[in-house]
Amino acid sequence: MSVQLAIHGKTFSAETKPLMEKMWSDICAKNCQPILSDFFKNHLLEHGFSVAEVPSYSIEKGLESADMAWSIGGDGTLLETLTQIGAKEIPILGINTGRLGFLATLSPPEISAALDTVLQGNYRIENRSLVSVESEVDFFDGKGFGLNEVGIMKTDTSSMITIKAFVDGNYLNSYWADGLIVSTATGSTGYSLAVGGPLVIPSSDIFIIAPMSPHNLNVRPLLVSSSAVLTFEVSSRSKNFLISLDSRSKVIDSHFKIEVKKAPFSAKLIKIPGDDFLQTLRSKLNWGLDVRN
């Protein structure tokens, strides 16, 4: 049975073109019906790939349907692919042609064998919780969901902001800080980790609330259930603040309240045998590296 395979990728250089040619050759040799994002198709055409007759989809309107989606790049490319899929919950396979890669973990030399494995159905799907952002204004144009984190941050270089936080309507704390991160379990290895948050198994049903450079030394990251509804009120001298959702961001007025909660749908990540979070920790972060081990 032929597999309809949606593919989105980042730009690549002349040095990495042979790698992309081998990848495309492998895809064409298999029983696949590729459909390319319009951005990636145009980039392939610019590099001389014969993809003029390959169907494409608009990254602005998103992907209508496919059996699975491939993200070719780094973690940022996978996050872009996720925004193109949204609530359709099409499974995503992340191929890492970037740097570290906690989400896109499959390396290019593994692609040919991995494609055979995936087409044979020898894979599992990990359901990853998403975080959503709501306010009086739709800041993210109908795509107010993210896999990693929501960030609330100051916009200038001098003054802290004050973030008044509530959990299910109950007052939690007023954070005097450069900002605040609300991370999913998946995002624990991202921005949250950089500001002192804990590492969390991705299947955990939690949010991490982690302040950025807090003025109070007794304020530490806090874990709450992902069923909780978090509300934030921000005040600052500049009368505005920056809100980020994964790799997207907006500057907004400080009079808006922000509501953060679990999205009603999830991200489905394709994992082939041997690809698991603990292995990724050991290989990417040198977790537990010790000459005695």
Side-chain angles (χ1 to χ4, degrees), residues 50-90:
S50 300
V51 295
E53 302 303 317
V54 178
S56 62
Y57 68 92
S58 166
I59 60 174
E60 295 298 326
K61 295 180 180 179
L63 182 61
E64 288 297 326
S65 65
D67 295 314
M68 66 179 65
W70 280 27
S71 164
I72 302 175
D75 287 354
T77 310
L78 190 143
L79 295 174
E80 289 176 1
T81 306
L82 179 61
T83 64
Q84 298 160 21
I85 290 173
K88 296 181 179 66
E89 295 188 325
I90 297 168

Side-chain angles (χ1 to χ4, degrees), residues 92 124 166 170 174 252 258 265 281:
I92 306 173
R124 72 184 193 283
F166 300 83
N170 298 310
S174 290
I252 63 176
I258 303 297
F265 52 91
L281 280 185

Side-chain angles (χ1 to χ4, degrees), residues 214-277:
H215 193 259
N216 305 92
L217 296 180
N218 58 350
V219 174
R220 292 291 181 266
L222 176 70
L223 299 184
V224 298
S225 169
S226 64
S227 64
V229 176
L230 309 177
T231 309
F232 302 101
E233 300 173 5
V234 182
S235 58
S236 69
R237 292 181 182 176
S238 61
K239 306 301 181 184
N240 58 29
F241 64 95
L242 182 75
I243 183 166
S244 67
L245 189 53
D246 288 346
S247 57
R248 296 161 286 151
S249 62
K250 296 280 186 179
V251 175
I252 63 176
D253 294 335
S254 57
H255 68 270
F256 286 111
K257 289 185 179 180
I258 303 297
E259 186 176 274
V260 175
K261 59 186 178 181
K262 185 177 179 179
F265 52 91
S266 63
K268 297 185 179 298
L269 303 187
I270 296 173
K271 297 293 181 179
I272 63 173
D275 180 8
D276 64 77
F277 179 70

Side-chain angles (χ1 to χ4, degrees), residues 6-290:
I7 305 172
H8 175 62
K10 70 171 187 177
T11 58
F12 55 87
S13 63
E15 289 74 18
T16 56
K17 182 180 176 181
L19 170 66
M20 300 304 297
E21 289 175 331
K22 176 64 168 62
M23 192 184 308
W24 183 247
S25 175
D26 288 338
I27 291 170
C28 293
K30 310 298 180 182
N31 192 24
C32 296
Q33 295 179 3
I35 174 173
L36 302 170
S37 72
D38 51 7
F39 171 85
F40 194 50
K41 179 176 180 177
N42 289 335
H43 191 63
L44 290 174
L45 287 170
E46 290 171 1
H47 281 266
F49 285 71
S50 300
V51 295
E53 302 303 317
V54 178
S56 62
Y57 68 92
S58 166
I59 60 174
E60 295 298 326
K61 295 180 180 179
L63 182 61
E64 288 297 326
S65 65
D67 295 314
M68 66 179 65
W70 280 27
S71 164
I72 302 175
D75 287 354
T77 310
L78 190 143
L79 295 174
E80 289 176 1
T81 306
L82 179 61
T83 64
Q84 298 160 21
I85 290 173
K88 296 181 179 66
E89 295 188 325
I90 297 168
I92 306 173
L93 178 67
I95 299 169
N96 183 27
T97 60
R99 289 170 291 183
L100 198 58
F102 280 98
L103 300 173
T105 55
L106 193 65
S107 63
E110 302 173 293
I111 291 171
S112 183
L115 182 54
D116 285 329
T117 299
V118 169
L119 293 179
Q120 292 165 7
N122 184 20
Y123 62 90
R124 72 184 193 283
I125 293 179
E126 287 188 358
N127 291 309
R128 301 289 184 91
S129 295
L130 300 172
V131 62
S132 71
V133 174
E134 295 181 6
S135 188
E136 303 163 48
V137 175
D138 182 6
F139 301 120
F140 294 101
D141 303 319
K143 297 180 180 180
F145 58 89
L147 179 58
N148 277 346
E149 73 274 313
V150 176
I152 299 173
M153 293 163 277
K154 65 178 186 177
T155 57
D156 54 60
T157 58
S158 57
S159 302
M160 294 181 296
I161 58 176
T162 304
I163 306 169
K164 196 173 183 179
F166 300 83
V167 179
D168 291 329
N170 298 310
Y171 175 63
L172 169 63
N173 186 35
S174 290
Y175 293 90
W176 293 68
D178 285 351
L180 190 74
I181 301 294
V182 179
S183 169
T184 65
T186 297
S188 73
T189 53
Y191 211 159
S192 175
L193 182 64
V195 299
L199 289 172
V200 178
I201 299 294
S203 59
S204 304
D205 212 10
I206 56 89
F207 286 142
I208 306 165
I209 304 175
M212 302 170 60
S213 303
H215 193 259
N216 305 92
L217 296 180
N218 58 350
V219 174
R220 292 291 181 266
L222 176 70
L223 299 184
V224 298
S225 169
S226 64
S227 64
V229 176
L230 309 177
T231 309
F232 302 101
E233 300 173 5
V234 182
S235 58
S236 69
R237 292 181 182 176
S238 61
K239 306 301 181 184
N240 58 29
F241 64 95
L242 182 75
I243 183 166
S244 67
L245 189 53
D246 288 346
S247 57
R248 296 161 286 151
S249 62
K250 296 280 186 179
V251 175
I252 63 176
D253 294 335
S254 57
H255 68 270
F256 286 111
K257 289 185 179 180
I258 303 297
E259 186 176 274
V260 175
K261 59 186 178 181
K262 185 177 179 179
F265 52 91
S266 63
K268 297 185 179 298
L269 303 187
I270 296 173
K271 297 293 181 179
I272 63 173
D275 180 8
D276 64 77
F277 179 70
L278 300 181
Q279 171 61 32
T280 301
L281 280 185
R282 292 191 296 271
S283 61
K284 305 289 186 179
L285 285 185
N286 293 326
W287 180 256
L289 183 64
D290 192 304

